[in-house]
Amino acid sequence: MDKTAENGPWADESGDTSGRKKGQLHAEAAGKLRSMILSGELPPGERLREMQLCEQLGVSRTPVREALRTLAAEGLVDLLPNRSVVVSELHAPDLEHLFVVFGAIEGIAAELACQKITEAEIGEIGRLLAEMIDYHARKERAPYMQINQKIHQRTVEIAANPVLYTVWQSLVPRVERARALANLDTGRWTGALFEHTKMFTALASRDGQLLAQLTREHFLNSLPFLQSRLENDD
Amino acid sequence: MDKTAENGPWADESGDTSGRKKGQLHAEAAGKLRSMILSGELPPGERLREMQLCEQLGVSRTPVREALRTLAAEGLVDLLPNRSVVVSELHAPDLEHLFVVFGAIEGIAAELACQKITEAEIGEIGRLLAEMIDYHARKERAPYMQINQKIHQRTVEIAANPVLYTVWQSLVPRVERARALANLDTGRWTGALFEHTKMFTALASRDGQLLAQLTREHFLNSLPFLQSRLENDD
DNA sequence: TTGTCTATTCTTGTATACAAGACTGGTGTT
DNA sequence: AACACCAGTCTTGTATACAAGAATAGACAA
């Protein structure tokens, strides 16, 4: 069930075509299109003409169409029969739906992680947190976000549930997209960091119930900030 | 984000080609292949040769290949680059991973449903439950399972969260497959029914916390029975 | 007998060709 | 002026053709 190494979302590919062995153009195309959507190069609502994508990616329609099915399964595009594929919209109410689910997923991950985490891994997360606090103090947002993402990812990995990991992966692109579209508010930033330190304490003491609760709240708390940013834009 | 009406898993198709408007052979193919896998006609580990599937389904390779991508995203098949697609295995440990996640997902759905359910919908679920009790008394397993599935589906629908619904849908095929491969133990059957009545009570009184808890336990309880059946088979 | 190498066959990956369904602009009518 | 209608164009859906990588079987050597 969990041998999806090759076909899983962004196993590796993300724009480079260099050291790639031939014969997986559709996976490569999916990777490129995915990052184009996440980066906003292909904005929500954009109509994707197959031929146009072929020219941009330098491949024929067959791999492009297969890549689009993959992206559709990930929720990044909508397939309208006999009509163009469009980049899926991201409205404020959708965002709430997304964050409720995503927070719950990470909550489960947190609970499982508490059961399975080793001392070494607690140390690892602790170091990442320290690094993050450092970037916050220096107001360097980009590396902060990167470490933040890494902490969440490590937590899900430590949970050691491949099904959970797959579901989590399928949701991450949309969460990341929301974060990218609505850059984090400064007031929220400090609050989020504080929540992270509380979450680490719960993790280190292996209090799964508490950590799950904190995790769900963490996402729910950041939701209104993202929503307000989104409403201003479109 | 939630306009996935047409491309979502088994929106309708499940083997019939009758009243179908042309131009969606790949969706039709996906539906047929999906039910072939769920029914066990295509057992775990089976190598799927594209040409062979073409003959069976009466279409060309293009829609078959696109259907296989969809099924891969649903976790029913594994894509091995330059090698045949195979029906994914279903091992006992995988099953535990699946059920932990699925139980949690339905738990969230249950919690949301408690907040949003109307009196009319409570009545509807109540009638379904009564029907199910009836089938249990008559030991008619197939229709029982069908109603059971419907209750779960209605609960998730009432939760009214499209993201949650999509995630749920992506997991259901595997859960259903596990149920199909390991036909429910009679002892467990009665226990499961009892749990359902308790869950209905919680739903009717809109006790989300309790219902979520019961739902998670419901899946965890049925897990060992399915696992033992699975170990006997392969 | 066993192991390895190679040639053949099979299967998948990609490109292209053709058909059918949507979109667009203009024309005519009311 | 507004609306319905129709042809031409564009876009997607499907089939087929061709190329390249993998499996297989047989020959040969150790």
Side-chain angles (χ1 to χ4, degrees):
Chain A
M1 180 181 288
D2 40 323
K3 340 191 167 59
T4 45
E6 300 85 347
N7 58 61
W10 57 101
D12 46 348
E13 71 277 338
S14 52
D16 70 309
T17 180
S18 51
R20 186 162 204 78
K21 55 188 175 302
K22 298 96 166 74
Q24 290 297 110
L25 287 195
H26 56 90
E28 196 179 335
K32 286 186 183 174
L33 288 174
R34 189 181 298 112
S35 62
M36 285 165 82
I37 293 174
L38 293 184
S39 71
E41 189 177 337
L42 297 175
E46 178 92 348
R47 265 185 81 175
L48 301 181
R49 261 69 139 257
E50 293 177 359
M51 276 309 295
Q52 194 177 314
L53 296 179
C54 292
E55 287 166 21
Q56 287 185 48
L57 300 175
V59 299
S60 80
R61 281 179 62 212
T62 306
V64 165
R65 283 176 60 85
E66 292 178 3
L68 289 176
R69 308 271 169 230
T70 302
L71 296 181
E74 292 170 15
L76 292 179
V77 302
D78 293 322
L79 260 34
L80 312 177
N82 281 318
R83 233 166 276 109
S84 293
V85 170
V86 301
V87 178
S88 60
E89 298 282 352
L90 196 62
H91 301 296
D94 295 327
L95 210 58
E96 175 164 355
H97 291 141
L98 176 62
F99 270 59
V100 166
V101 175
F102 195 74
I105 297 283
E106 285 225 359
I108 307 161
E111 216 168 322
L112 292 175
C114 278
Q115 295 167 18
K116 297 177 184 171
I117 196 167
T118 64
E119 286 298 327
E121 286 165 339
I122 291 178
E124 182 192 344
I125 303 281
R127 278 190 296 280
L128 286 172
L129 180 62
E131 232 183 303
M132 202 166 77
I133 291 173
D134 221 47
Y135 284 124
H136 172 262
R138 287 191 259 152
K139 306 246 180 293
E140 295 180 34
R141 200 161 299 207
Y144 171 93
M145 293 299 277
Q146 205 176 326
I147 302 289
N148 179 43
Q149 159 75 6
K150 184 145 192 172
I151 289 179
H152 286 274
Q153 164 138 5
R154 283 299 291 144
T155 306
V156 179
E157 284 171 2
I158 291 166
N161 181 321
V163 178
L164 181 69
Y165 191 71
T166 304
V167 171
W168 181 80
Q169 273 193 324
S170 75
L171 258 25
V172 161
R174 277 175 282 181
V175 174
E176 289 298 308
R177 184 151 78 120
R179 289 216 183 99
L181 287 178
N183 247 319
L184 201 52
D185 185 280
T186 308
R188 171 63 191 148
W189 193 7
T190 304
L193 182 64
F194 179 57
E195 287 169 15
H196 263 286
T197 63
K198 281 203 293 186
M199 285 160 66
F200 176 69
T201 307
L203 178 67
S205 60
R206 295 192 170 81
D207 187 339
Q209 293 279 327
L210 176 61
L211 181 55
Q213 176 72 14
L214 290 175
T215 301
R216 278 193 292 269
E217 287 171 4
H218 179 61
F219 283 97
L220 255 29
N221 288 342
S222 60
L223 178 59
F225 291 89
L226 298 187
Q227 282 182 322
S228 67
R229 285 300 185 98
L230 234 54
E231 277 157 10
N232 296 346
D233 284 0
D234 46 32
Chain B
M1 182 181 291
D2 41 320
K3 334 193 171 61
T4 45
E6 300 87 347
N7 58 62
W10 60 102
D12 47 348
E13 71 275 338
S14 54
D16 68 311
T17 179
S18 51
R20 186 161 205 78
K21 54 189 175 303
K22 299 92 166 79
Q24 290 296 113
L25 288 194
H26 56 91
E28 195 178 334
K32 286 185 183 173
L33 288 174
R34 190 182 295 112
S35 62
M36 285 165 82
I37 292 174
L38 293 184
S39 71
E41 188 176 339
L42 297 175
E46 177 91 350
R47 269 185 76 177
L48 301 180
R49 255 87 83 167
E50 293 177 358
M51 276 310 295
Q52 194 177 314
L53 296 179
C54 292
E55 287 167 20
Q56 287 185 48
L57 301 174
V59 298
S60 79
R61 281 180 62 211
T62 306
V64 165
R65 283 177 60 85
E66 293 178 3
L68 288 176
R69 307 274 167 228
T70 302
L71 296 181
E74 291 170 15
L76 291 179
V77 301
D78 293 324
L79 261 34
L80 313 178
N82 280 319
R83 229 166 279 110
S84 293
V85 170
V86 301
V87 178
S88 61
E89 299 281 352
L90 197 61
H91 301 296
D94 295 328
L95 209 59
E96 175 165 353
H97 291 141
L98 176 63
F99 270 57
V100 166
V101 176
F102 194 75
I105 297 283
E106 285 225 359
I108 308 161
E111 215 168 322
L112 292 175
C114 279
Q115 295 166 17
K116 297 177 183 171
I117 196 166
T118 65
E119 286 299 325
E121 286 164 340
I122 291 178
E124 181 192 344
I125 302 281
R127 278 191 296 280
L128 286 172
L129 180 62
E131 233 183 301
M132 202 166 77
I133 291 173
D134 222 47
Y135 284 125
H136 172 262
R138 286 190 259 152
K139 305 246 179 293
E140 295 181 35
R141 200 160 300 208
Y144 171 94
M145 293 299 277
Q146 205 175 327
I147 302 289
N148 180 40
Q149 158 75 5
K150 183 145 195 172
I151 289 179
H152 285 274
Q153 164 138 5
R154 284 297 291 143
T155 305
V156 179
E157 284 171 1
I158 291 166
N161 181 323
V163 178
L164 182 68
Y165 190 72
T166 304
V167 171
W168 182 81
Q169 273 191 322
S170 75
L171 259 24
V172 162
R174 278 175 281 180
V175 174
E176 287 299 307
R177 184 152 77 117
R179 289 216 184 98
L181 287 180
N183 247 320
L184 203 51
D185 185 279
T186 309
R188 171 65 192 148
W189 193 6
T190 305
L193 183 64
F194 179 57
E195 287 168 13
H196 263 287
T197 63
K198 281 203 294 185
M199 285 160 65
F200 176 69
T201 307
L203 179 66
S205 59
R206 295 192 170 81
D207 187 340
Q209 292 279 328
L210 176 62
L211 182 55
Q213 176 71 15
L214 290 174
T215 301
R216 278 194 293 269
E217 286 171 6
H218 179 61
F219 283 97
L220 255 29
N221 288 342
S222 59
L223 177 58
F225 292 90
L226 298 187
Q227 281 182 323
S228 67
R229 284 301 185 97
L230 232 53
E231 277 157 9
N232 296 346
D233 284 1
D234 45 34

